[in-house]
């Protein structure tokens, strides 16, 4: 039942990505959810994969584990660069972040 661990709103699986072009490098996301976000040597934040590896490809996404959902949402809300996007996996609709409806 590993999939259940990565469900969010209404039981939907969620994923998160960071737009590094807008990242200010404040590191608020890494403070809220260090299991999901990390600052790299370039001073920008990236999402991390299941193996704790930084995902540095443009638009790289990682699943949002349910126990960390509120931390990831807080990161998106508090980010001064408005660069954290949380979306449903099923239809890629943003549910938290600057493009959320």
């Amino acid at each position: 039942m590993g999939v259940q661990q990565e469900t969010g709103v209404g039981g939907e699986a969620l994923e998160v990505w960071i737009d590094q072009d807008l990242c200010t490098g404040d590191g608020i996301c890494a403070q809220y959810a260090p299991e999901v976000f990390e600052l790299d040597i370039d001073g920008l934040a990236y999402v991390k994969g299941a193996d704790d590896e930084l995902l540095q490809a443009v638009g790289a996404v990682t699943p949002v584990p349910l126990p960390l959902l509120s931390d990831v949402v807080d990161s998106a809300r508090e980010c001064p660069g408005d660069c954290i996007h949380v979306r449903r996996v099923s239809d890629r609709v943003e549910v938290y972040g600057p493009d959320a409806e």
Side-chain angles (χ1 to χ4, degrees), residues 35-55:
E35 304 88 347
V36 178
F37 306 107
E38 186 174 316
L39 290 179
D40 196 16
I41 195 165
D42 63 5
L44 301 178
Y46 294 87
V47 295
K48 299 196 301 190
D51 56 2
D52 225 30
E53 181 180 341
L54 288 185
L55 304 178

Side-chain angles (χ1 to χ4, degrees), residues 34-93:
E35 304 88 347
V36 178
F37 306 107
E38 186 174 316
L39 290 179
D40 196 16
I41 195 165
D42 63 5
L44 301 178
Y46 294 87
V47 295
K48 299 196 301 190
D51 56 2
D52 225 30
E53 181 180 341
L54 288 185
L55 304 178
Q56 294 178 302
V58 173
V61 299
T62 197
V64 177
L66 184 55
L68 300 176
L69 177 59
S70 65
D71 294 334
V72 171
V73 170
D74 286 345
S75 297
R77 288 184 174 145
E78 300 297 323
C79 174
D82 280 335
C83 65
I84 299 173
H85 303 266
V86 181
R87 65 187 180 201
R88 288 191 300 255
V89 172
S90 60
D91 58 8
R92 299 171 64 102
V93 169

Side-chain angles (χ1 to χ4, degrees), residues 15-38:
E15 61 189 8
V16 60
W17 66 282
I18 295 177
D19 182 345
Q20 278 79 27
D21 289 340
L22 299 176
C23 180
T24 58
D26 283 73
I28 291 172
C29 57
Q31 291 175 17
Y32 275 112
E35 304 88 347
V36 178
F37 306 107
E38 186 174 316

